[in-house]
Amino acid sequence: MARELTDKEIKSIQRIQLEMLKEVDRLCRLEDIPYSIDGGTFLGAVRHQGFIPWDPDIDVIMLRGDYERFYRTAINNIDKSRFFLQEERTDENYRWGFTKIRRKGTSFVREGQEHLKMRTGIFIDILIMDNVPDCIVIRKLFLFFCCYCRFVMWSEVGKKTEKKAFKRFLYKCANHIPASFVFKQLRAVRGMCNSADTELVRYMTCRYTYNKKLCGIERRFFDFFSEYRFEGAKFKGFAEYDAYLTQLYGDYMQLPPEEKRKSHMPVSLLEINIED
């Protein structure tokens, strides 16, 4: 039975996520790998110097080339007693095109995803940026391809949870396309797009939910980084924080109405079997 998280559970999740963010930061500093905290995490660092109180989520963002260095470093150096690096190369049942760090000793299953076979657990997301073609025509094809990949990957969930009958039917059809085939297509397209630098970059398998008009973000944000205080520790973030957060959120220092200051992340399973 799915339910909303309690305030106490949100704080417990945030504590574990902070532990994972510190591990990502440690691994990046081992090989001087650039990264930025992202989304609500970056907003929280700037506006609250920590978590947005009602947001049990941490996002990290990096360019594809830097992520591949991170992957090699993490495979060899991550604390395997506590953490699991999850992507298609480490979990054959994983369907999402971005990476998660999972906390071992926990279970976390979101509503509608109970039947998925991939490993579960409290997580943070590592969002990987690929080049967006500069040519407008090719860019439109590229964005359509990204939409297609997202649709197929989500079809395993959408075929059960989508409320509209026709769209649910489309998800059932798309679900016949193996995830492994989509990952193969993604690797081929990434290889072509990343052969030369472009003005914009984006993650290919999830939307810019903060600003749906964005085709991507400017690569220049990845040129300079600063350190930002977050829950008493310091993490890397884009130096041009004001321009970046304004692009994503508009007036980002303005708090949302009180009725919207709550998490909406229904879970069907949450277990924390680790000691404080």
mmCIF file of all heavy atoms in Angstrom, residues 11-38:
data_model
loop_
_atom_site.group_PDB
_atom_site.id
_atom_site.type_symbol
_atom_site.label_atom_id
_atom_site.label_comp_id
_atom_site.label_asym_id
_atom_site.label_seq_id
_atom_site.Cartn_x
_atom_site.Cartn_y
_atom_site.Cartn_z
ATOM 1 N N LYS A 11 13.686 13.080 7.184
ATOM 2 C CA LYS A 11 14.955 13.430 7.828
ATOM 3 C C LYS A 11 15.912 12.240 7.852
ATOM 4 O O LYS A 11 17.121 12.396 7.672
ATOM 5 C CB LYS A 11 14.700 13.970 9.236
ATOM 6 C CG LYS A 11 14.036 15.343 9.242
ATOM 7 C CD LYS A 11 14.044 15.959 10.621
ATOM 8 C CE LYS A 11 13.445 17.365 10.581
ATOM 9 N NZ LYS A 11 14.224 18.268 9.702
ATOM 10 N N SER A 12 15.389 11.038 8.061
ATOM 11 C CA SER A 12 16.240 9.838 8.050
ATOM 12 C C SER A 12 16.821 9.600 6.660
ATOM 13 O O SER A 12 18.005 9.274 6.513
ATOM 14 C CB SER A 12 15.436 8.617 8.497
ATOM 15 O OG SER A 12 15.038 8.733 9.836
ATOM 16 N N ILE A 13 15.988 9.771 5.634
ATOM 17 C CA ILE A 13 16.453 9.610 4.253
ATOM 18 C C ILE A 13 17.510 10.655 3.927
ATOM 19 O O ILE A 13 18.549 10.351 3.333
ATOM 20 C CB ILE A 13 15.271 9.690 3.274
ATOM 21 C CG1 ILE A 13 14.373 8.457 3.436
ATOM 22 C CG2 ILE A 13 15.758 9.800 1.832
ATOM 23 C CD1 ILE A 13 13.050 8.556 2.697
ATOM 24 N N GLN A 14 17.264 11.904 4.313
ATOM 25 C CA GLN A 14 18.224 12.978 4.040
ATOM 26 C C GLN A 14 19.579 12.704 4.696
ATOM 27 O O GLN A 14 20.622 12.958 4.101
ATOM 28 C CB GLN A 14 17.655 14.312 4.523
ATOM 29 C CG GLN A 14 16.503 14.830 3.676
ATOM 30 C CD GLN A 14 15.874 16.083 4.258
ATOM 31 O OE1 GLN A 14 15.957 16.342 5.461
ATOM 32 N NE2 GLN A 14 15.226 16.876 3.413
ATOM 33 N N ARG A 15 19.547 12.172 5.915
ATOM 34 C CA ARG A 15 20.804 11.857 6.595
ATOM 35 C C ARG A 15 21.609 10.822 5.812
ATOM 36 O O ARG A 15 22.835 10.953 5.651
ATOM 37 C CB ARG A 15 20.498 11.323 8.005
ATOM 38 C CG ARG A 15 21.716 10.809 8.753
ATOM 39 C CD ARG A 15 21.340 10.276 10.121
ATOM 40 N NE ARG A 15 20.303 9.267 10.068
ATOM 41 C CZ ARG A 15 20.520 8.004 9.753
ATOM 42 N NH1 ARG A 15 21.742 7.590 9.413
ATOM 43 N NH2 ARG A 15 19.536 7.127 9.753
ATOM 44 N N ILE A 16 20.924 9.810 5.288
ATOM 45 C CA ILE A 16 21.604 8.772 4.510
ATOM 46 C C ILE A 16 22.069 9.322 3.169
ATOM 47 O O ILE A 16 23.172 9.008 2.691
ATOM 48 C CB ILE A 16 20.667 7.563 4.328
ATOM 49 C CG1 ILE A 16 20.403 6.912 5.692
ATOM 50 C CG2 ILE A 16 21.250 6.548 3.351
ATOM 51 C CD1 ILE A 16 19.282 5.898 5.686
ATOM 52 N N GLN A 17 21.255 10.166 2.549
ATOM 53 C CA GLN A 17 21.648 10.764 1.263
ATOM 54 C C GLN A 17 22.877 11.649 1.424
ATOM 55 O O GLN A 17 23.742 11.682 0.544
ATOM 56 C CB GLN A 17 20.484 11.563 0.692
ATOM 57 C CG GLN A 17 19.330 10.703 0.208
ATOM 58 C CD GLN A 17 18.142 11.526 -0.223
ATOM 59 O OE1 GLN A 17 17.877 12.594 0.327
ATOM 60 N NE2 GLN A 17 17.413 11.037 -1.215
ATOM 61 N N LEU A 18 22.968 12.373 2.523
ATOM 62 C CA LEU A 18 24.146 13.200 2.774
ATOM 63 C C LEU A 18 25.399 12.332 2.861
ATOM 64 O O LEU A 18 26.464 12.697 2.345
ATOM 65 C CB LEU A 18 23.956 13.999 4.060
ATOM 66 C CG LEU A 18 25.109 14.923 4.456
ATOM 67 C CD1 LEU A 18 25.357 15.987 3.389
ATOM 68 C CD2 LEU A 18 24.830 15.574 5.818
ATOM 69 N N GLU A 19 25.271 11.187 3.484
ATOM 70 C CA GLU A 19 26.363 10.221 3.571
ATOM 71 C C GLU A 19 26.824 9.804 2.169
ATOM 72 O O GLU A 19 28.030 9.725 1.886
ATOM 73 C CB GLU A 19 25.866 9.007 4.363
ATOM 74 C CG GLU A 19 26.849 7.872 4.539
ATOM 75 C CD GLU A 19 26.195 6.664 5.192
ATOM 76 O OE1 GLU A 19 24.949 6.587 5.261
ATOM 77 O OE2 GLU A 19 26.954 5.778 5.609
ATOM 78 N N MET A 20 25.869 9.568 1.270
ATOM 79 C CA MET A 20 26.205 9.164 -0.096
ATOM 80 C C MET A 20 26.822 10.317 -0.883
ATOM 81 O O MET A 20 27.748 10.119 -1.675
ATOM 82 C CB MET A 20 24.961 8.629 -0.797
ATOM 83 C CG MET A 20 24.499 7.290 -0.248
ATOM 84 S SD MET A 20 23.158 6.537 -1.208
ATOM 85 C CE MET A 20 21.757 7.455 -0.591
ATOM 86 N N LEU A 21 26.319 11.536 -0.675
ATOM 87 C CA LEU A 21 26.897 12.696 -1.358
ATOM 88 C C LEU A 21 28.343 12.900 -0.936
ATOM 89 O O LEU A 21 29.199 13.225 -1.767
ATOM 90 C CB LEU A 21 26.067 13.952 -1.054
ATOM 91 C CG LEU A 21 26.554 15.248 -1.712
ATOM 92 C CD1 LEU A 21 26.625 15.131 -3.230
ATOM 93 C CD2 LEU A 21 25.655 16.422 -1.304
ATOM 94 N N LYS A 22 28.634 12.701 0.322
ATOM 95 C CA LYS A 22 30.021 12.820 0.797
ATOM 96 C C LYS A 22 30.914 11.773 0.126
ATOM 97 O O LYS A 22 32.080 12.050 -0.189
ATOM 98 C CB LYS A 22 30.070 12.669 2.314
ATOM 99 C CG LYS A 22 29.502 13.853 3.064
ATOM 100 C CD LYS A 22 29.557 13.638 4.573
ATOM 101 C CE LYS A 22 29.022 14.856 5.327
ATOM 102 N NZ LYS A 22 29.039 14.638 6.796
ATOM 103 N N GLU A 23 30.362 10.581 -0.125
ATOM 104 C CA GLU A 23 31.143 9.547 -0.803
ATOM 105 C C GLU A 23 31.401 9.926 -2.259
ATOM 106 O O GLU A 23 32.509 9.729 -2.780
ATOM 107 C CB GLU A 23 30.423 8.200 -0.726
ATOM 108 C CG GLU A 23 31.119 7.053 -1.442
ATOM 109 C CD GLU A 23 32.395 6.579 -0.758
ATOM 110 O OE1 GLU A 23 32.828 7.211 0.230
ATOM 111 O OE2 GLU A 23 32.968 5.559 -1.203
ATOM 112 N N VAL A 24 30.395 10.473 -2.950
ATOM 113 C CA VAL A 24 30.595 10.935 -4.327
ATOM 114 C C VAL A 24 31.655 12.030 -4.362
ATOM 115 O O VAL A 24 32.546 12.030 -5.211
ATOM 116 C CB VAL A 24 29.268 11.436 -4.934
ATOM 117 C CG1 VAL A 24 29.514 12.158 -6.265
ATOM 118 C CG2 VAL A 24 28.311 10.275 -5.148
ATOM 119 N N ASP A 25 31.564 12.970 -3.435
ATOM 120 C CA ASP A 25 32.552 14.043 -3.368
ATOM 121 C C ASP A 25 33.952 13.480 -3.126
ATOM 122 O O ASP A 25 34.929 13.911 -3.754
ATOM 123 C CB ASP A 25 32.163 15.018 -2.251
ATOM 124 C CG ASP A 25 33.167 16.146 -2.079
ATOM 125 O OD1 ASP A 25 33.203 17.051 -2.941
ATOM 126 O OD2 ASP A 25 33.934 16.113 -1.098
ATOM 127 N N ARG A 26 34.063 12.512 -2.242
ATOM 128 C CA ARG A 26 35.369 11.895 -1.964
ATOM 129 C C ARG A 26 35.951 11.249 -3.213
ATOM 130 O O ARG A 26 37.138 11.429 -3.534
ATOM 131 C CB ARG A 26 35.224 10.847 -0.855
ATOM 132 C CG ARG A 26 36.534 10.162 -0.464
ATOM 133 C CD ARG A 26 36.297 9.043 0.531
ATOM 134 N NE ARG A 26 35.703 7.868 -0.086
ATOM 135 C CZ ARG A 26 36.394 6.921 -0.726
ATOM 136 N NH1 ARG A 26 37.719 7.027 -0.872
ATOM 137 N NH2 ARG A 26 35.773 5.871 -1.234
ATOM 138 N N LEU A 27 35.128 10.505 -3.932
ATOM 139 C CA LEU A 27 35.597 9.833 -5.141
ATOM 140 C C LEU A 27 36.016 10.846 -6.210
ATOM 141 O O LEU A 27 37.018 10.652 -6.903
ATOM 142 C CB LEU A 27 34.501 8.910 -5.682
ATOM 143 C CG LEU A 27 34.159 7.696 -4.807
ATOM 144 C CD1 LEU A 27 32.882 7.022 -5.307
ATOM 145 C CD2 LEU A 27 35.308 6.704 -4.774
ATOM 146 N N CYS A 28 35.258 11.915 -6.355
ATOM 147 C CA CYS A 28 35.604 12.937 -7.350
ATOM 148 C C CYS A 28 36.912 13.625 -6.997
ATOM 149 O O CYS A 28 37.732 13.916 -7.883
ATOM 150 C CB CYS A 28 34.478 13.964 -7.453
ATOM 151 S SG CYS A 28 33.001 13.363 -8.312
ATOM 152 N N ARG A 29 37.135 13.874 -5.724
ATOM 153 C CA ARG A 29 38.372 14.549 -5.322
ATOM 154 C C ARG A 29 39.589 13.642 -5.472
ATOM 155 O O ARG A 29 40.713 14.140 -5.626
ATOM 156 C CB ARG A 29 38.238 15.067 -3.888
ATOM 157 C CG ARG A 29 37.230 16.227 -3.766
ATOM 158 C CD ARG A 29 37.092 16.724 -2.328
ATOM 159 N NE ARG A 29 35.965 17.628 -2.189
ATOM 160 C CZ ARG A 29 36.019 18.953 -2.347
ATOM 161 N NH1 ARG A 29 37.174 19.520 -2.659
ATOM 162 N NH2 ARG A 29 34.951 19.700 -2.183
ATOM 163 N N LEU A 30 39.372 12.324 -5.453
ATOM 164 C CA LEU A 30 40.495 11.401 -5.664
ATOM 165 C C LEU A 30 41.167 11.636 -7.013
ATOM 166 O O LEU A 30 42.396 11.556 -7.134
ATOM 167 C CB LEU A 30 39.999 9.952 -5.597
ATOM 168 C CG LEU A 30 39.820 9.306 -4.234
ATOM 169 C CD1 LEU A 30 39.254 7.897 -4.400
ATOM 170 C CD2 LEU A 30 41.137 9.256 -3.463
ATOM 171 N N GLU A 31 40.368 11.905 -8.054
ATOM 172 C CA GLU A 31 40.881 12.062 -9.411
ATOM 173 C C GLU A 31 40.607 13.449 -9.984
ATOM 174 O O GLU A 31 40.720 13.653 -11.186
ATOM 175 C CB GLU A 31 40.259 10.999 -10.327
ATOM 176 C CG GLU A 31 40.576 9.563 -9.952
ATOM 177 C CD GLU A 31 42.047 9.223 -10.132
ATOM 178 O OE1 GLU A 31 42.712 9.908 -10.947
ATOM 179 O OE2 GLU A 31 42.528 8.299 -9.454
ATOM 180 N N ASP A 32 40.266 14.399 -9.114
ATOM 181 C CA ASP A 32 39.983 15.777 -9.543
ATOM 182 C C ASP A 32 38.930 15.795 -10.650
ATOM 183 O O ASP A 32 39.103 16.403 -11.708
ATOM 184 C CB ASP A 32 41.272 16.461 -10.012
ATOM 185 C CG ASP A 32 41.110 17.976 -10.111
ATOM 186 O OD1 ASP A 32 40.229 18.518 -9.412
ATOM 187 O OD2 ASP A 32 41.841 18.609 -10.902
ATOM 188 N N ILE A 33 37.812 15.115 -10.395
ATOM 189 C CA ILE A 33 36.717 15.014 -11.370
ATOM 190 C C ILE A 33 35.707 16.127 -11.095
ATOM 191 O O ILE A 33 35.166 16.218 -9.988
ATOM 192 C CB ILE A 33 36.034 13.640 -11.282
ATOM 193 C CG1 ILE A 33 37.038 12.531 -11.609
ATOM 194 C CG2 ILE A 33 34.824 13.571 -12.215
ATOM 195 C CD1 ILE A 33 36.533 11.129 -11.301
ATOM 196 N N PRO A 34 35.434 16.989 -12.076
ATOM 197 C CA PRO A 34 34.478 18.076 -11.853
ATOM 198 C C PRO A 34 33.046 17.543 -11.732
ATOM 199 O O PRO A 34 32.651 16.620 -12.436
ATOM 200 C CB PRO A 34 34.613 18.959 -13.102
ATOM 201 C CG PRO A 34 35.738 18.393 -13.902
ATOM 202 C CD PRO A 34 35.996 17.010 -13.431
ATOM 203 N N TYR A 35 32.287 18.151 -10.844
ATOM 204 C CA TYR A 35 30.865 17.842 -10.714
ATOM 205 C C TYR A 35 30.196 19.054 -10.096
ATOM 206 O O TYR A 35 30.843 19.955 -9.563
ATOM 207 C CB TYR A 35 30.644 16.614 -9.826
ATOM 208 C CG TYR A 35 30.771 16.904 -8.344
ATOM 209 C CD1 TYR A 35 29.656 17.282 -7.583
ATOM 210 C CD2 TYR A 35 32.012 16.844 -7.693
ATOM 211 C CE1 TYR A 35 29.775 17.574 -6.230
ATOM 212 C CE2 TYR A 35 32.134 17.143 -6.338
ATOM 213 C CZ TYR A 35 31.016 17.509 -5.616
ATOM 214 O OH TYR A 35 31.133 17.817 -4.287
ATOM 215 N N SER A 36 28.868 19.079 -10.147
ATOM 216 C CA SER A 36 28.105 20.101 -9.442
ATOM 217 C C SER A 36 26.909 19.432 -8.779
ATOM 218 O O SER A 36 26.307 18.525 -9.357
ATOM 219 C CB SER A 36 27.616 21.189 -10.404
ATOM 220 O OG SER A 36 26.768 22.125 -9.731
ATOM 221 N N ILE A 37 26.586 19.871 -7.567
ATOM 222 C CA ILE A 37 25.275 19.516 -7.042
ATOM 223 C C ILE A 37 24.258 20.204 -7.940
ATOM 224 O O ILE A 37 24.546 21.209 -8.578
ATOM 225 C CB ILE A 37 25.128 19.929 -5.565
ATOM 226 C CG1 ILE A 37 25.532 21.391 -5.350
ATOM 227 C CG2 ILE A 37 25.926 18.993 -4.670
ATOM 228 C CD1 ILE A 37 25.343 21.882 -3.928
ATOM 229 N N ASP A 38 23.044 19.644 -8.009
ATOM 230 C CA ASP A 38 22.108 20.128 -9.019
ATOM 231 C C ASP A 38 20.689 20.198 -8.465
ATOM 232 O O ASP A 38 20.391 19.651 -7.407
ATOM 233 C CB ASP A 38 22.153 19.199 -10.238
ATOM 234 C CG ASP A 38 21.436 19.769 -11.450
ATOM 235 O OD1 ASP A 38 21.515 20.991 -11.660
ATOM 236 O OD2 ASP A 38 20.789 19.001 -12.186
#
